[in-house]
Structure formats: structure tokens, C-alpha cells
Amino acid sequence: MRNTTHKLFKDKTLRHLHDDLNIIGVVRNRFLAISMRYYRRYGKGLSYRKMSAHLTKLKKLEKYQHWNIPYSWTLQNMLKRLSQSFREMKTLGRGHPQFKSCKKHRGMTFDGTQVPLEKVLDKQKHERNHPTYKIRLNGRWYRFALHRPIAGEIKQVQVTRDALGDMYITVTEDYSEVKPEPKTGKAEGFDMGIKDFLTGSDGERYGSPMFYTQNADKLAKAQKAHSRKVKGSNNRERERKNVARIHKKTANQRTDHHWKLAIDLCRQFDILFFEDLNLEGMKRLWGKQVSDLAFGEFLQKLKYQAKKRIRAVLKINRWTPSTKCCSVCGHKNDKLTLADRHWQCPKCHTHLDRDQNAALNILKEGIASFGLGVVRPIVLFNQIVGCSVEATSPLLNSTNAFA
């Protein structure tokens, strides 16, 4: 499956999509309240079948005639997800879904057969880099620039809106994109940190661009201006959009950095080892700093690029003592603290950099855990400067290793 996101052109007809999203938000709150009462009485949420039958009865009433949008499949899909949320309360130990304003409801989903696509053949006032297409959603046509050609069968289309009111469509295709890169024969371990986003076992460091911190002053100023305005006024709405615009820019900067770094790493290495970190626990300790780096989002993008470019991203056990163990002799230094960025092994007297030593241990543990061969650290001038993987590693020599 491949997902591609396209932004709909700003047009007066977008107000119809906003109205449809508001209707779905109202219906969701209605059935959430019913399910909460049912859950308190019987200890479980309403099933999708019961909610769907009740929705059909309500739509026949004159009071709820405006709920009869052309494709009721979107409402049914919302009810399925709501029913699943109540099932996950017990299976996954999650809390119940929350009520929210209908204007804050972000998306609706269409089946691929309900959204025909057509190319716009009319001459445009300005030439565009990408061809203009139009898509039919709930009986109306909307235009967008198709920056990725449709390569497979469209299975699903999701319409989302952001806090600025911009509309996006995410097209899910039955297509797996593969762009194999030439094999490098290299494996690398990476230690994640706050000061340095990634530290490789070869000593390469990748900085931590704290985009939220960079935009913190502008955000504070915009939020202060927003709080001064009268509630419900046009001025307050304008300042709200300014705040949302800063948040959107921060998210776009972070996403752009993640994609570029993921592609760069996949081009350099065949196998990438990471530690299975407890990100929720790290957020409790360091708060916004961990959220600003978004380690989890980066790993998702890296896995996507690795699958696309026939690479391997593997994780080692989170309980592996990668930081406190010497990568040369294996001695464990229990006296090591978080403030010690450099330390000397009391057994082999090797001077170690904390982050690079952890990356080397991650590489060694990963290769040993997945049976890829033996890693030999090279110690030169009392500094760890690199490592090599034996050419007999089956994963590096097999042509079907990453299939």
C-alpha cells in the first residue's frame, strides 16, 4: 500500500466539505454519549451493528434530514472506528474516546469506488509543475495538483483538514513502491540522544534541530496576542490562525528533516540497528525536548524508506546495557552517571565517548542477536574510531536478505 497526500485548491466549494465534516463531528458526539451510557450500565460499548441501525432510524426523522449526505459510507466508517475504540478500552487498556467540538473533527474516509478522478483539460491561467486533477467527493468536484502519478488501484481516500482550514486528501493505492539502492555492505549502530539526535558507531554525529525551541519566541508572542483578543471576535480568530500557522511550520520543518535524514541513512548503510527506547518514560523525564525530536515518527519514516530501498532497520532489546558496558572489553561500569560524557574503562583503560560507545555496543549486540556475523572494534591511539563486519555475514551477502 502507498499513501500520497495532496492539497485541495482553495475554492468556495470547500465550504461543503467543511459542512460534511461538521456533520460527522456532531454524529460522533451523539453516539459517543449513547455509548458512554451503555458502557456504564453494561460494561461494554455499543456494537457497530446497533449504532448503525440507530443511525438509520434517526436519519428518517425530519429533524436529522441534513445527516443524509450523499455517501453515508463515511458515517458508517466513523461508527466502526468509534466501536473499535470502546473494544480497545479493555484489550489495550486505553481510556474512552473524548468529546470534541464538531469544528475540530479532522477527517472522513471514502471507499475507492466512491471517488472518481479526472484530469482537468482546460487551460490554466498559470502553468503548474504538476497536472491538475479533480476528484468527486460527496457529489461535488474539487481540484488539486497530482504531484505523484496514480500507479495502482485506489482503495481508500481520506479527507482531512487542519487548524487553518486547508483541505487535504490522502490517496491509498494498492501499490508497493520499490527503489532498490546499490548495496554498500555496511552495518551501523545508532544511539539516540537529545544533544545529538543520532550518534553512529563510526563516530558520525547527526545534530538535533530543535524546531519547537527555535520557534518558541514567535509562538509565545502569537499566543499572547491571541489571549488578549475578545472571545468570538474576528481578531481572535485571526490570531488563532497565526498560532496554528507557527505550529504547522514547526511540524513541516521536523517532517522535512526526518525524511531527508532517513533517505541519507538508507543510501549509506544496508543494515541499521537501534535501541528499543521507552519513549513515554523519556517524555516524563525530559518532556518537550523528547517530543520536539519525535524519535518515534523518525523511525516510522526510516522503516518506510528502508522497505522502499530494500534495507533493514532492526531493534535490539531495550534492557541491553549499551551505555555502561565498554565496547572493547565488555566491562560494565555501574558508577557511570548521566553527567559523564567521556569515561575511561577501569579494566582496559580505553578512553570512551559515551554516545559512540553506546552505538558500538548496539551494533555488536544487533549483529550477535540477529546472527549476522562478528564485529571487531578497532582501537587506535586509545580512541574508538570504527568497526568492521565480517564479509561472511549471511544478511550482507544474500540477495534476498531484505525482500
Side-chain angles (χ1 to χ4, degrees):
M1 294 292 182
R2 185 181 73 165
N3 295 330
T4 54
T5 302
H6 311 270
K7 183 178 180 180
L8 296 179
F9 292 164
K10 287 191 175 181
D11 196 290
K12 291 182 179 179
T13 55
L14 286 183
R15 71 180 186 274
H16 299 295
L17 279 182
H18 285 285
D19 292 340
D20 294 341
L21 285 170
N22 292 341
I23 289 174
I24 294 177
V26 170
V27 175
R28 178 188 177 276
N29 285 339
R30 171 92 179 206
F31 280 87
L32 176 57
I34 296 174
S35 296
M36 286 299 300
R37 291 197 296 267
Y38 192 87
Y39 185 85
R40 285 193 292 267
R41 175 171 293 185
Y42 300 105
K44 61 180 181 179
L46 272 174
S47 65
Y48 161 70
R49 183 175 296 180
K50 291 183 179 179
M51 287 193 289
S52 178
H54 186 58
L55 176 64
T56 303
K57 293 179 181 179
L58 291 178
K59 288 166 67 175
K60 292 179 180 179
L61 301 177
E62 185 177 355
K63 182 180 179 181
Y64 302 107
Q65 284 298 310
H66 61 286
W67 287 6
N68 289 283
I69 57 179
Y71 293 117
S72 61
W73 195 88
T74 57
L75 286 173
Q76 303 295 333
N77 183 265
M78 181 272 299
L79 294 180
K80 284 181 181 179
R81 288 187 277 113
L82 187 62
S83 177
Q84 183 181 358
S85 298
F86 277 93
R87 289 198 302 270
E88 291 177 351
M89 287 176 63
K90 287 187 175 181
T91 58
L92 300 180
R94 295 178 178 173
H96 65 81
Q98 300 296 316
F99 292 96
K100 57 185 176 182
S101 170
C102 63
K103 293 184 179 180
K104 292 184 179 180
H105 188 80
R106 294 298 182 212
M108 58 182 170
T109 306
F110 295 88
D111 187 71
T113 59
Q114 300 171 343
V115 283
L117 281 174
E118 290 184 11
K119 187 174 182 179
V120 178
L121 301 177
D122 299 338
K123 292 184 178 179
Q124 305 294 329
K125 293 182 180 179
H126 305 284
E127 292 186 4
R128 304 181 187 275
N129 295 329
H130 306 289
T132 302
Y133 274 69
K134 60 181 181 180
I135 185 171
R136 189 176 178 86
L137 302 170
N138 277 343
R140 295 182 178 87
W141 292 97
Y142 304 91
R143 296 181 305 142
F144 66 96
L146 189 71
H147 57 81
R148 295 287 189 279
I150 303 297
E153 181 184 357
I154 298 178
K155 293 295 185 181
Q156 185 174 284
V157 174
Q158 186 175 17
V159 180
T160 55
R161 64 178 171 185
D162 60 13
L164 291 173
D166 295 332
M167 286 287 185
Y168 299 86
I169 57 170
T170 301
V171 181
T172 302
E173 307 167 52
D174 186 14
Y175 170 70
S176 297
E177 189 176 8
V178 179
K179 290 184 179 180
E181 296 279 352
K183 287 191 176 182
T184 63
K186 296 180 181 179
E188 186 79 340
F190 293 95
D191 178 60
M192 288 184 171
I194 294 178
K195 184 178 179 182
D196 295 308
F197 185 69
L198 291 177
T199 302
S201 54
D202 59 355
E204 183 73 19
R205 296 179 182 273
Y206 304 87
S208 301
M210 310 290 255
F211 295 111
Y212 183 85
T213 305
Q214 293 176 17
N215 300 325
D217 293 338
K218 291 182 181 179
L219 181 61
K221 186 177 180 180
Q223 288 174 333
K224 197 172 184 180
H226 173 254
S227 65
R228 287 192 181 122
K229 300 300 182 285
V230 179
K231 289 185 178 180
S233 64
N234 292 333
N235 288 336
R236 188 177 179 91
E237 176 63 16
R238 184 185 68 247
E239 295 300 335
R240 184 197 66 81
K241 288 187 176 181
N242 286 337
V243 173
R245 198 170 286 113
I246 296 173
H247 280 298
K248 186 176 181 179
K249 179 183 177 181
T250 303
N252 289 341
Q253 287 177 318
R254 186 183 298 116
T255 301
D256 181 67
H257 170 256
H258 284 172
W259 281 119
K260 289 179 179 178
L261 181 58
I263 293 172
D264 184 48
L265 293 179
C266 288
R267 286 174 176 170
Q268 292 185 51
F269 307 104
D270 284 347
I271 313 173
L272 302 98
F273 294 105
F274 291 87
E275 198 172 8
D276 185 16
L277 297 175
N278 181 10
L279 297 179
E280 292 299 327
M282 292 175 65
K283 287 179 183 179
R284 296 190 193 99
L285 290 175
W286 294 289
K288 288 183 179 179
Q289 289 180 312
V290 178
S291 299
D292 195 3
L293 295 173
F295 291 129
E297 292 182 12
F298 169 72
L299 286 178
Q300 288 181 352
K301 295 178 177 64
L302 183 62
K303 289 177 181 177
Y304 174 82
Q305 287 295 335
K307 183 178 180 181
K308 177 179 175 181
R309 300 172 188 278
I310 315 182
R311 297 292 192 256
V313 177
L314 305 173
K315 287 186 178 181
I316 68 169
N317 194 332
R318 78 171 50 170
W319 306 113
T320 302
S322 59
T323 303
K324 294 185 177 182
C325 286
C326 174
S327 57
V328 178
C329 65
H331 175 75
K332 186 177 180 181
N333 185 5
D334 292 321
K335 297 181 179 179
L336 192 67
T337 62
L338 192 61
D340 299 327
R341 309 313 302 176
H342 298 272
W343 58 285
Q344 187 172 1
C345 178
K347 186 175 181 180
C348 64
H349 306 290
T350 305
H351 185 73
L352 302 167
D353 178 88
R354 179 193 183 93
D355 296 333
Q356 186 182 355
N357 176 68
L360 271 168
N361 285 328
I362 291 172
L363 175 63
K364 292 172 64 178
E365 178 66 21
I367 290 175
S369 299
F370 294 95
L372 307 183
V374 181
V375 62
R376 302 188 301 272
I378 303 172
V379 182
L380 186 61
F381 298 112
N382 211 28
Q383 295 283 339
I384 299 176
V385 296
C387 64
S388 62
V389 181
E390 285 190 350
T392 57
S393 300
L395 188 55
L396 293 181
N397 292 331
S398 175
T399 57
N400 300 321
F402 308 101

